[in-house]
Amino acid sequence: MEERLGQLTRLLAEARFIDLSPTIEHNMPKWPTHPPVIVDPTVTHEHDHYYCQTLVLGEHSGAHVDVPAHIISSMMDRTVDTYPVNMLFAPAIVYDLRTLDAKPGQRITAAQILQIEEQMGDRAAEGDIVLLNFGWQQYWKLDKEWKYYATNEPGFDEDAVKLFADRKVRAVGSDTIACDTPVQDGYEMKSFGHQNYWLPNEIFIMEMLHNLDQLPTRCYFAALPLKIKNGSGSPIRPTAIIV
């Protein structure tokens, strides 16, 4: 055990860590019907002789994970606090979808995914975490333009969603606000991942990831959700570990 711990310590000391989360800050982008993110400097040195902020935010704020209870009414017993602490620790594979130039409301197909896999010489396997780089971080804004990110994104068609479900991946994450769900001008189209294939099969969904363009095709992914009682999901601090 001591030898293995030493090996792990050396590997981590030599590894490169990439933060895949946006900063949690006041009025950051959010799903339109979710609570706003409020960060208030409630307690200050000037008034109270120490500093402490108050946070008000929904469970699906910033980089976050969805679990089955979020969408599947028959799985209300599968909340975030029921899963092990390492639920989001696994090898990850990054799909660079930017070359597809997908538009809001457009669905990426299974054939396109297979073509990308052929080009990169790799493919998602059982237990992997799939990271989808749509190139959508460019639309992350904190000013009045934030709504475009929240109300427009490409997604996946049913066969593309099923492709990853059939391979029994552990989780799928993206740099968009709703992962596989096409959205155009605020109109939300059917999500086969949330409703039919991923969450019903306990394949977790992560959204609003950042810095996916900094990753190689393969890395190790680690994120810790908060242990929220009966949580439909949780903010996470996702990290890519490159060795």
Side-chain angles (χ1 to χ4, degrees):
M1 175 63 75
E2 186 174 340
E3 180 181 353
R4 294 174 67 187
L5 181 59
Q7 292 173 343
L8 177 61
T9 301
R10 287 190 293 274
L11 278 173
L12 291 177
E14 297 168 0
R16 186 159 60 100
F17 293 79
I18 306 296
D19 185 355
L20 303 181
S21 62
T23 300
I24 294 177
E25 52 190 313
H26 194 68
N27 283 334
M28 67 193 294
K30 65 178 186 68
W31 185 252
T33 58
H34 285 189
V37 175
I38 300 171
V39 182
D40 181 75
T42 312
V43 178
T44 64
H45 289 286
E46 293 77 14
H47 187 268
D48 304 285
H49 306 291
Y50 70 100
Y51 177 53
C52 181
Q53 298 189 110
T54 298
L55 305 182
V56 179
L57 69 168
E59 293 174 326
H60 302 265
S61 299
H64 66 275
V65 62
D66 297 354
V67 297
H70 179 46
I71 297 295
I72 312 302
S73 61
S74 61
M75 299 181 72
M76 283 301 295
D77 59 326
R78 306 311 288 152
T79 53
V80 72
D81 52 313
T82 66
Y83 289 100
V85 68
N86 64 342
M87 60 184 282
L88 296 175
F89 282 52
I93 179 169
V94 181
Y95 285 73
D96 189 348
L97 307 177
R98 291 174 293 179
T99 57
L100 301 178
D101 194 28
K103 305 302 183 185
Q106 182 179 338
R107 292 188 185 273
I108 291 172
T109 67
Q112 290 174 305
I113 296 298
L114 292 173
Q115 184 176 24
I116 288 174
E117 290 179 338
E118 184 176 352
Q119 291 168 352
M120 66 184 183
D122 202 351
R123 53 176 277 176
E126 183 173 351
D128 280 346
I129 288 177
V130 174
L131 301 177
L132 306 172
N133 182 10
F134 288 92
W136 229 247
Q137 186 179 337
Q138 65 178 307
Y139 301 115
W140 182 271
K141 308 291 183 183
L142 295 175
D143 57 19
K144 63 182 180 180
E145 302 299 323
W146 73 269
K147 288 185 179 179
Y148 184 87
Y149 179 88
T151 57
N152 291 278
E153 67 173 29
F156 275 11
D157 73 4
E158 183 172 8
D159 286 343
V161 169
K162 189 174 183 295
L163 176 71
F164 290 120
D166 288 345
R167 294 184 187 174
K168 300 180 181 180
V169 301
R170 176 173 293 194
V172 182
S174 76
D175 60 347
T176 56
I177 203 166
C179 201
D180 68 295
T181 312
V183 183
Q184 185 174 20
D185 296 330
Y187 176 73
E188 175 190 359
M189 304 174 194
K190 181 175 175 61
S191 170
F192 295 103
H194 286 74
Q195 299 172 20
N196 299 95
Y197 295 101
W198 294 347
L199 291 185
N201 290 296
E202 297 187 274
I203 297 171
F204 307 116
I205 296 175
M206 296 178 291
E207 295 155 341
M208 291 193 262
L209 303 181
H210 276 208
N211 300 327
L212 297 181
D213 60 332
Q214 298 182 28
L215 304 184
T217 300
R218 282 284 180 179
C219 61
Y220 193 84
F221 183 93
L224 290 170
L226 299 174
K227 195 175 182 180
I228 302 170
K229 182 68 175 177
N230 298 326
S232 67
S234 169
I236 56 175
R237 184 72 180 266
T239 305
I241 303 173
I242 302 170
V243 294

